[in-house]
Amino acid sequence: MNKTIQGLLVMALAVGSSILSASAFAETPQEATVRKLVQTTFREGVKIDSVTKTPYSGLYEVRIGSDVMYTDEKAQYLFTGDVIDAKTGTNYTKARIDDLSKVKFSDLPLESALKMVKGDGKRVIAVFEDPNCGYCKQFRKTLNSLDNITVYTFMYNILADDSKVKSKNIWCSADRNKAWDDWMLNGKAAPEAPANCNTPNDKIFALGQKMRVSGTPSVIFSDGSRAPGALDIKVLESRIAAAASGNKAN
């Protein structure tokens, strides 16, 4: 749902406030009515998680999981795409989805990740990477250039049939981190794992699917915010600092 509908929704939005957060309260009668009307639009079994009136042009946000779309009060039309403030350029839909995509960092199964510590290790991030991901290999160089960082790497096997095999070989190596870097940075494959060596492959795959991690690399910051793709060093440092600042503020 990424098609921008500026032609329909960008109309001198002057709301001046951040994106409307998920309502922690019961739906209003009108929101409940819109929910009933719009529910008929979807196939049986699709669950609408919330319907919330927005500050923009009388639209209602319809949320299904972390997907967001909009409708009018009579549910005659559904809009998929981004609501963008014409004056400031703020993308309210992106901010909303980013908020919905947040995870609780302490809930991640860090014991099932590779752990790299550099310097004092005080700054913390987690990364989903596939051993066959070219962008992950580039991003690994960026990660290795950081200092005072702890990086938890979840080997998320989604790109090729042999990703799972490569991850198993690395996980079952005597030095997992060295085996991972040998492969990702130097193309040196890990030795074949013993048949009886257990891995968290299936657990991590299920976790990534549940979190809707659709590509690699995908970074999780300490405040639970996420960023897809191989970030450059400046953006990565900025996001790490912002996440740490947010934690302190809380």
Side-chain angles (χ1 to χ4, degrees):
M1 299 181 184
N2 295 318
K3 294 181 181 179
T4 303
I5 51 171
Q6 287 175 273
L8 291 171
L9 297 175
V10 178
M11 42 180 90
L13 299 173
V15 292
S17 60
S18 62
I19 185 69
L20 188 67
S21 62
S23 176
F25 307 98
E27 291 176 349
T28 66
Q30 183 58 42
E31 289 168 343
T33 297
V34 172
R35 174 195 282 271
K36 290 179 181 178
L37 291 171
V38 78
Q39 182 67 69
T40 62
T41 304
F42 302 103
R43 68 180 183 274
E44 186 177 353
V46 174
K47 179 181 179 296
I48 296 174
D49 291 296
S50 67
V51 172
T52 310
K53 188 173 183 180
T54 76
Y56 356 105
S57 304
L59 293 175
Y60 288 78
E61 175 197 284
V62 180
R63 181 176 68 84
I64 300 173
S66 58
D67 290 330
V68 169
M69 63 190 74
Y70 305 95
T71 190
D72 58 287
E73 65 178 2
K74 295 182 179 180
Q76 290 181 301
Y77 306 98
L78 277 174
F79 305 95
T80 62
D82 297 340
V83 175
I84 300 173
D85 191 313
K87 291 185 177 180
T88 67
T90 301
N91 188 325
Y92 293 113
T93 304
K94 181 180 182 302
R96 179 76 168 107
I97 292 173
D98 286 348
D99 186 60
L100 290 170
S101 298
K102 277 190 173 184
V103 298
K104 189 174 181 181
F105 196 92
S106 60
D107 285 347
L108 294 173
L110 301 179
E111 72 283 354
S112 297
L114 304 176
K115 182 180 180 181
M116 178 184 77
V117 180
K118 298 189 67 177
D120 61 26
K122 289 183 178 179
R123 304 185 300 165
V124 182
I125 61 172
V127 189
F128 283 77
E129 294 184 337
D130 185 295
N132 284 308
C133 170
Y135 289 111
C136 298
K137 293 175 181 179
Q138 295 176 26
F139 189 52
R140 183 55 42 173
K141 295 177 183 178
T142 301
L143 292 175
N144 278 4
S145 70
L146 296 173
D147 199 9
N148 299 325
I149 189 82
T150 297
V151 179
Y152 291 97
T153 301
F154 292 104
M155 293 185 285
Y156 185 47
N157 308 305
I158 59 173
L159 294 182
D161 291 339
D162 71 338
S163 291
K164 200 170 182 178
V165 175
K166 289 175 178 174
S167 290
K168 178 175 182 176
N169 292 342
I170 290 167
W171 182 262
C172 297
S173 296
D175 187 336
R176 295 168 181 167
N177 286 311
K178 182 178 184 303
W180 180 252
D181 277 353
D182 280 348
W183 170 248
M184 298 299 280
L185 297 176
N186 304 314
K188 180 182 177 182
E192 185 176 351
N196 62 350
C197 178
N198 295 318
T199 75
N201 281 349
D202 292 340
K203 178 180 179 180
I204 299 309
F205 181 79
L207 174 68
Q209 294 296 293
K210 181 179 179 181
M211 291 172 54
R212 296 192 176 191
V213 178
S214 58
T216 56
S218 186
V219 186
I220 313 294
F221 298 95
S222 59
D223 65 348
S225 61
R226 299 159 63 164
L231 307 178
D232 65 42
I233 188 67
K234 289 184 178 179
V235 173
L236 182 58
E237 288 278 14
S238 176
R239 290 293 301 267
I240 291 172
S245 176
N247 283 344
K248 290 178 182 178
N250 293 333

